[in-house]
Amino acid sequence: MSPLLRRTGKKPAERMVTLIGKSGCHLCDDARGVIEKVCADTGASWEEKDITRDEALHRAYWEQIPVVLVDGEQHTFWRVDEGRLRRALGA
């Protein structure tokens, strides 16, 4: 069993990936593509939040977008590495 899976106690299908970005951001578009693929392959859920619609997210992340959270914890920003995201999900 993967050490990540043991640590979280969750299967990939029980994980949540959150993309924080904004429209018109080419890095956000790239990140979305990677997240869609990995989540489709692993069964993980994902959601997208727009920093232009949430002042707290804007204050926290505006210089880092796109930001990716896994189960509410920051995983990465700017570029999403497919292999690293898969490992974080325990896949």
Side-chain angles (χ1 to χ4, degrees):
M1 179 182 286
S2 162
L4 291 172
L5 186 57
R6 279 194 300 266
R7 184 175 63 202
T8 64
K10 292 183 178 181
K11 298 175 185 174
E14 299 170 326
R15 311 298 298 274
M16 173 60 76
V17 178
T18 303
L19 171 61
I20 300 170
K22 67 178 186 172
S23 64
C25 166
H26 72 280
L27 291 177
C28 300
D29 294 340
D30 294 346
R32 185 179 306 106
V34 173
I35 292 167
E36 285 176 338
K37 179 180 181 192
V38 171
C39 288
D41 290 350
T42 64
S45 298
W46 77 280
E47 64 183 352
E48 189 166 352
K49 295 185 178 181
D50 187 333
I51 65 164
T52 65
R53 299 178 184 266
D54 185 314
E55 185 61 33
L57 290 177
H58 187 269
R59 280 192 308 271
Y61 299 117
W62 75 274
E63 291 182 325
Q64 297 179 353
I65 63 166
V67 174
V68 178
L69 311 178
V70 175
D71 296 333
E73 298 292 325
Q74 187 167 344
H75 169 71
T76 195
F77 60 97
W78 294 338
R79 302 257 182 218
V80 182
D81 179 88
E82 181 178 337
R84 184 169 178 259
L85 181 56
R86 286 181 187 281
R87 288 188 299 279
L89 294 173

